[in-house]
Structures are given as structure tokens and as C-alpha cells.
Amino acid sequence: MKNLSGIYPALPTPMSAEGEINDAGLRKLVDYVIAQGVDGLYVGGSTAESFLLTEDERKKIAEVVLHQAAGKVKVIVHTGAGGTDAAVRLSKHARAHGADAISSVPPIYFKYTTEEIIGYYLDLIDQSDMPLVVYNIPAFTGINMTQGAIRELFKHPRVVALKHTNTNMYELERVLAHNPSLIALNGYDEAFLSGLSMGASGMIGSTVNFMAGKFIALRDAFRAGQPAEALRLQGEVNEVVETMVEVGVFNAVKYAMTLRGVDCGSCRGPFKPLTDAAKQRVKAVLEKNLGEPLR
Ligand code: MN9
């Protein structure tokens, strides 16, 4: 089993003007991010609009990415779904196509007991026989996987990593202290340095798609014992993130990639496409902080 530490873009799903999945765009995106030096790819997560895609579309994007990556970098496929059966089907599919690990948010919408949530993850592991990355994003799911009795799940030998999309760094430090072999991948790009300082050994992020070099340099500065340089880089990242979050981060990421020559289209409804004014703001903040002319 591969060590899942590293820097991963959370890939968006390129779409045509009609809202269909753009396979060619997705292949181009995979080549683009691999050329930036990322360690792996995270497919079908929040940034991919996974909960706005059909099950068949989710299988298709996983297949396209796994085929195009061709083993050059690690691939984690997010297989979380509204119910166990669909998540198991997606997990078996990820395994059949050569993913390195599966990942899942806890089951959403209905209020489940701790036992039911742990049972959901155990079903995914047992039925797919895959290593699992728990995707903790309490702001979206309303469930915090690093608090209370639910943390028992991290003791399972097949639970190899945590995607920590939370700014509570105390909980990150504690979950790692109690589970020393667990790998933590930081989930909020704007909190990467904080995550590193509390034991994360990598990150999964939407803005990695177009500024992977900044995150690689930030990690390297942290490891080289240069906290001022790491903080300077985090500040540049955060100036970009601030604007993107204000205009709508997923559409902003798609637009940033479009500016870099990888046409990603817009997000599906209910997300609203960026206005021209929002596009101008995104372009200006990228030009300022990435120091490269954009298309
Ligand atoms: O996958 C992303 N998570 C969400 C990671 O969007 C929920 C992050 O990269 C954020 O987009 C980013 C902005 O808040 O940190």
C-alpha cells in the first residue's frame, strides 16, 4: 500500500457549455497538474461537484482520471454518497480501475447514530477491500469525525488517512497523537501551514490545481525550518483564496483553470456562474500573486 502523504489537487469536473462532462478537458487537467509536480490526485470530492453528478458520471470521471494518470501519481477516489449501496458500488468501481485509496464524507442528510456512521465506513472498507481516507468536513456535513466516540474509527487498520477540512487544529493534533500511524492531509488551503505545524504531512485542495508550486514551496520551507518564508507563501495563497471564496470557490477554481488553458466551464446549478465583475477580480488576484500573464 502506498504512503498517501503529499500534495493533491481536488480536481474540478470540466464541463461543456451545455453542462456535459468534458472528458478531453479532464484529461488535459490531469496532465496539467501532474506537470506541476503534485504527488497525487483527489477525484470526485467537493470541488468535483460530486453531489451534483450522477453515479455514472462519477464512475466516468474516476475512470478518465485513473487512465490518464497511468500510475504516474497516486489517485484517491472520493466514493461517498447518500447511502451505503451507492458508496459501495463507487468504491468497488474505484478498486477495479486501480485507485490507490477510497475516501468518503460521512453519510449526509439523515441524522445517523455514531454506530451507523462507523458501520457505513466499515461496509465501504469490507466490501471494496480498499484503504480509506476519512473526509472530515463538518461545515458541510454537520458531523465532526474528530470529536467524541466516532474517533474509534481511526483505530481501524484500513483507515489510513484523514482529510482534515476543519480549522480546529487542536483536534488534528489529538487525533494524530492517539493514532500515530494515521496520515493527515489538510483540507483548507488557507490553513495549510497551521495543519503542517500540527502534524499534517500533506494536503488536498482546490486551489492546488493552479498554484501547486506555492504549496510545494510552502511545505519545503516548513520542512527546512523557514517559518517566515512558509508564512509569506501562506499569505499569498490566502489573498487568492479570500477572493475566490467571496465569489464562489468552485466556479472560481474552474475559471482559474480556464485562464490557464484548461477549459473547465461552470458549475452545475444551484451554483450560479461567475459574473464578469467576479471574473475580473479572480483574474486580477491571480495575476498579482502568481506573477504570470494569463490568457
Ligand atoms: O478540497 C476544498 N474544500 C472545499 C478542498 O472547498 C470544501 C478547499 O480547497 C477549499 O476550496 C479552499 C477554500 O476554502 O480551502
Side-chain angles (χ1 to χ4, degrees):
M1 194 168 62
K2 289 184 190 161
N3 178 321
L4 294 180
S5 296
I7 293 180
Y8 297 68
L11 298 174
T13 304
M15 290 175 192
S16 67
E18 294 73 41
E20 297 297 319
I21 290 177
N22 173 356
D23 298 20
L26 185 53
R27 287 193 293 273
K28 199 168 172 188
L29 174 63
V30 168
D31 289 347
Y32 182 91
V33 291
I34 291 177
Q36 305 302 306
V38 302
D39 301 297
L41 310 172
Y42 191 80
V43 190
S46 311
T47 309
E49 305 164 62
S50 58
F51 285 98
L52 301 177
L53 304 180
T54 66
E55 191 175 320
D56 282 348
E57 287 174 326
R58 292 182 63 180
K59 288 178 176 165
K60 179 169 161 180
I61 60 170
E63 281 173 41
V64 169
V65 170
L66 283 158
H67 186 261
Q68 191 70 12
K72 287 181 215 147
V73 295
K74 297 171 273 202
V75 178
I76 303 171
V77 180
H78 177 260
T79 61
T84 303
D85 292 352
V88 165
R89 284 193 297 270
L90 287 161
S91 300
K92 286 182 172 170
H93 175 270
R95 181 191 172 87
H97 289 84
D100 293 295
I102 56 166
S103 180
S104 179
V105 291
I108 56 169
Y109 187 70
F110 294 111
K111 297 295 167 210
Y112 300 104
T113 64
T114 295
E115 199 185 347
E116 285 165 337
I117 295 168
I118 289 181
Y120 164 88
Y121 281 110
L122 296 182
D123 282 338
L124 263 58
I125 294 170
D126 293 344
Q127 295 198 45
S128 72
D129 196 25
M130 287 287 275
L132 174 86
V133 181
V134 171
Y135 183 178
N136 191 36
I137 177 163
F140 281 16
T141 62
I143 299 163
N144 188 345
M145 299 296 298
T146 55
Q147 243 175 31
I150 211 154
R151 283 180 300 190
E152 279 304 301
L153 179 62
F154 294 106
K155 302 218 178 305
H156 191 289
R158 296 295 266 173
V159 176
V160 297
L162 162 67
K163 178 180 187 314
H164 181 76
T165 307
N166 191 351
T167 49
N168 188 327
M169 296 300 162
Y170 164 64
E171 285 177 20
L172 174 59
E173 186 277 335
R174 282 295 88 197
V175 79
L176 291 171
H178 290 297
N179 302 279
S181 63
L182 190 70
I183 284 168
L185 299 168
N186 196 73
Y188 280 128
D189 308 10
E190 54 274 38
F192 185 34
L193 178 55
S194 326
L196 284 171
S197 71
M198 286 295 179
S201 59
M203 64 161 317
I204 297 168
S206 62
T207 66
V208 177
N209 286 286
F210 57 86
M211 53 180 178
K214 290 232 188 283
F215 293 100
I216 294 168
L218 196 168
R219 175 194 61 190
D220 292 349
F222 176 80
R223 290 192 178 158
Q226 298 165 347
E229 174 61 4
L231 181 57
R232 188 189 68 76
L233 287 159
Q234 184 71 70
E236 286 182 4
V237 163
N238 290 1
E239 195 173 333
V240 173
V241 168
E242 185 177 27
T243 299
M244 293 199 143
V245 168
E246 277 172 26
V247 302
V249 68
F250 303 126
N251 262 315
V253 167
K254 286 185 146 183
Y255 181 59
M257 289 315 299
T258 302
L259 288 173
R260 302 215 131 194
V262 182
D263 214 328
C264 285
S266 292
C267 295
R268 285 191 177 162
F271 288 118
K272 289 259 182 248
L274 296 187
T275 60
D276 287 344
K279 285 183 179 173
Q280 282 311 316
R281 288 186 62 201
V282 171
K283 192 170 177 197
V285 80
L286 290 176
E287 274 172 352
K288 177 169 176 228
N289 287 282
L290 303 186
E292 289 165 44
L294 296 163
R295 195 165 78 137

